[in-house]
Amino acid sequence: MKKSILVKKNPRLIARMIENEFTILDPKTGALYQLNETASYIWKFLWKQRNYDEITNKLMARFEGDKKNVKKDVNDFIASSFKNGLLVRAK
């Protein structure tokens, strides 16, 4: 993923936090997604459009871990979220 690309939550989704983790429903497809604690933290941070570096830096400030692993986690989350329609490119 290009680090300069801005991403945002797909506006058609319905998300609810249950015990510190988000459950997300895509009403168009009927798909239901359960985010773990780290992914839920990213999801909350995406209350406005963000780029890769902003997300990575926010995660580094919150969780312990080396930067290489955090970058991989963020990249995996964004790639999976794009694939599943949870995130879209911001304009």
Side-chain angles (χ1 to χ4, degrees):
M1 172 187 164
K2 284 187 174 181
K3 294 179 182 183
S4 61
I5 293 174
L6 293 172
V7 298
K8 66 178 185 175
K9 297 175 188 176
N10 186 330
R12 77 168 182 246
L13 303 177
I14 300 167
R16 297 290 180 262
M17 181 173 269
I18 302 170
E19 296 182 15
N20 295 323
E21 295 183 344
F22 275 97
T23 299
I24 301 169
L25 170 67
D26 184 338
K28 182 177 178 182
T29 65
L32 194 63
Y33 302 93
Q34 180 69 40
L35 303 184
N36 66 20
E37 181 184 1
T38 304
S40 292
Y41 187 78
I42 294 170
W43 190 259
K44 281 192 284 187
F45 184 59
L46 290 171
W47 60 272
K48 72 174 194 173
Q49 61 191 29
R50 307 281 184 176
N51 67 34
Y52 175 87
D53 286 335
E54 290 174 309
I55 298 166
T56 301
N57 291 337
K58 184 70 170 178
L59 217 57
M60 286 292 300
R62 172 70 169 89
F63 295 99
E64 293 183 16
D66 67 81
K67 194 166 189 168
K68 182 179 177 183
N69 286 338
V70 171
K71 284 182 174 185
K72 182 186 179 313
D73 289 346
V74 170
N75 195 55
D76 290 349
F77 172 78
I78 291 172
S80 174
S81 295
F82 267 112
K83 178 182 173 190
N84 292 310
L86 302 178
L87 295 179
V88 294
R89 289 177 88 160
K91 299 183 183 203

